[in-house]
Amino acid sequence: MAMQLNRYRGVKHWLRCIAMFTTLFAVSCLLAMPAAAERVRELSSFAGVRDNQLVGYGLVVGLDSTGDQTTQAPFTSQSLTNMLSQLGVTVPPGTNLQLRNVAAVMVTADLPPFSRPGQRLDIVVSSIANARSLRGGTLLMTPLKGADGDTYAIAQGNMLVGGAGAQAGGSSVQINQQASGRIPNGALVEREVPLNLGGNGGRLELQLNESDFGTVQRVVTAINNEFGQSVAYARNGRVIALDGPMDENARVNFMARVENVQVTPMEAPARVVLNARTGSVVMNSAVTLRQAAVAHGNLSIMIDTQFGVSQPAPFGEGETVVVPNTDIEIEQQEAFLQIVEGAQLNEVVNALNALGATPQDLMSILEALKASGSLRAELEVI
């Protein structure tokens, strides 16, 4: 029986070793795999082909007594008075409007490139005062303006609010946000953004999402190979000039071919990202560690307070008082120098895990390794 048990343990140990070896081999293969080719449209965009942000100020009406308290938000009643005057309704001066069904809001939207008058846009409506909920409200006609102050769209429609809430007897419950909502297709484009692609003799500009001289060189080479001639020229580490056709239809076909060219980008630089708020540490596969010795130990301070009672002598004139007795202990764990080193990501992770440090402590260790020159990566704190 004992022999069978030992044999079972031996087989189990070998299975664990094989599983560990298989995992390490798979990780090594993944790290050794070259970067996959991507289309140019995932790496860059054409200059001028972008969204434009729109914003407007408006009123939401029809709320169920959940609107702004006009005593604390006087601009709501002022806006309503101005709107009514444009509709031919005159409110006597000095009238104190107690409105609970109206809320002042800001309306935002993104105007896609090549948008034409008559097209619809999705909009987001957000309260700017003290309205408790916009649920069930209707947004009145609101001009949406661009950065130049011109009106590019008009928004209006019924609100779609995902949140809900109820209150009674001093108790309340709320699910999600009720002070903002969306109106699908709630804005109508009234004016297009002028965009003259290829107006300078058919010349176009391709802008990479991230600046990298090596990737720019590869994109230029791939585009020229696709067309069989020199149509792409690198201007700097981000911008590529393209000699496009003069004809608009041919230019669109040219841009479509450029966007679908396959390019293998350069490997990202070694970088370690530290999130100081959550304690997260993320590093890419290019991070390496030169040999260094690190000692890490935790310091803990324990404070224990006990309260005693000082009782005066019988028939004395003293008073009973509470006397605190505080003990403070400082305990420091032993720390020994450990060698950390790694040329691949899995080796770096194993070396750092061997220190037994928490994520917060690991941030300080990585910063010290960077200062010593052992950590071959950029440190970025977010």
Side-chain angles (χ1 to χ4, degrees):
M1 183 67 181
M3 184 178 299
Q4 292 180 354
L5 183 60
N6 292 334
R7 184 179 301 172
Y8 170 75
R9 290 177 177 174
V11 172
K12 188 176 181 180
H13 173 73
W14 277 108
L15 289 176
R16 287 179 178 177
C17 293
I18 294 174
M20 185 179 298
F21 174 78
T22 304
T23 302
L24 292 177
F25 178 75
V27 173
S28 300
C29 291
L30 288 175
L31 294 176
M33 289 178 59
E38 302 180 33
R39 292 182 299 176
V40 171
R41 66 181 306 170
E42 271 83 43
L43 300 174
S44 61
S45 60
F46 286 98
V49 183
R50 64 178 183 85
D51 293 347
N52 290 275
Q53 295 178 334
L54 304 179
V55 65
Y57 171 81
L59 293 174
V60 171
V61 299
L63 302 177
D64 189 10
S65 299
T66 59
D68 295 339
Q69 298 179 6
T70 54
T71 56
Q72 301 175 3
F75 52 85
T76 303
S77 57
Q78 180 182 358
S79 302
L80 182 61
T81 301
N82 294 337
M83 185 195 67
L84 292 176
S85 64
Q86 296 178 4
L87 297 177
V89 179
T90 302
V91 178
T95 303
N96 186 12
L97 299 177
Q98 297 295 328
L99 308 173
R100 296 301 304 274
N101 298 338
V102 182
V105 295
M106 296 300 295
V107 184
T108 58
D110 287 335
L111 183 65
F114 311 115
S115 295
R116 295 285 181 166
Q119 292 182 344
R120 292 281 183 173
L121 303 176
D122 296 340
I123 61 175
V124 177
V125 182
S126 304
S127 172
I128 60 174
N130 50 15
R132 290 188 290 108
S133 175
L134 298 180
R135 193 177 185 86
T138 300
L139 176 69
L140 300 181
M141 185 181 296
T142 303
L144 300 182
K145 300 182 178 182
D148 55 0
D150 295 334
T151 299
Y152 289 90
I154 300 294
Q156 183 171 280
N158 297 325
M159 293 284 301
L160 179 60
V161 179
Q167 60 181 1
S171 301
S172 62
V173 62
Q174 178 174 326
I175 300 176
N176 296 333
Q177 176 64 261
Q178 300 184 82
S180 64
R182 294 177 59 87
I183 303 180
N185 296 328
L188 197 64
V189 178
E190 298 291 340
R191 181 180 180 181
E192 63 179 287
V193 177
L195 177 60
N196 188 14
L197 279 177
N200 186 16
R203 180 61 62 92
L204 302 170
E205 280 192 355
L206 195 65
Q207 300 174 347
L208 294 186
N209 300 332
E210 296 182 4
S211 178
D212 190 292
F213 289 99
T215 303
V216 164
Q217 185 269 333
R218 291 186 179 184
V219 172
V220 170
T221 302
I223 293 175
N224 290 335
N225 292 338
E226 170 69 21
F227 290 92
Q229 56 181 336
S230 297
V231 297
Y233 312 91
R235 288 187 173 177
N236 48 49
R238 184 184 292 268
V239 180
I240 299 173
L242 300 172
D243 290 334
M246 294 292 297
D247 180 68
E248 293 183 352
N249 183 58
R251 187 183 306 124
V252 172
N253 296 332
F254 174 82
M255 297 171 67
R257 289 182 61 183
V258 169
E259 286 187 334
N260 287 286
V261 172
Q262 297 285 334
V263 179
T264 302
M266 297 291 293
E267 185 179 0
R271 182 172 300 167
V272 177
V273 181
L274 309 176
N275 192 325
R277 296 181 297 274
T278 63
S280 303
V281 179
V282 179
M283 57 186 70
N284 60 14
S285 60
V287 176
T288 58
L289 274 178
R290 290 183 179 177
Q291 194 173 61
V294 180
H296 170 69
N298 288 327
L299 182 68
S300 58
I301 301 176
M302 294 172 290
I303 302 177
D304 183 18
T305 303
Q306 296 181 353
F307 296 92
V309 178
S310 177
Q311 190 75 14
F315 305 104
E317 297 181 357
E319 296 180 356
T320 301
V321 295
V322 178
V323 180
N325 185 15
T326 303
D327 294 330
I328 301 178
E329 293 185 21
I330 299 178
E331 181 179 340
Q332 185 174 8
Q333 297 180 357
E334 294 184 356
F336 303 94
L337 286 172
Q338 297 187 31
I339 296 179
V340 293
E341 166 177 36
Q344 293 184 348
L345 180 59
N346 59 335
E347 297 176 354
V348 174
V349 172
N350 293 335
L352 295 176
N353 285 337
L355 298 176
T358 64
Q360 293 292 343
D361 295 333
L362 192 58
M363 292 184 182
S364 301
I365 294 174
L366 290 172
E367 187 176 359
L369 289 173
K370 175 65 176 178
S372 66
S374 174
L375 180 63
R376 311 305 296 174
E378 300 177 5
L379 278 181
E380 181 177 349
V381 181
I382 60 176

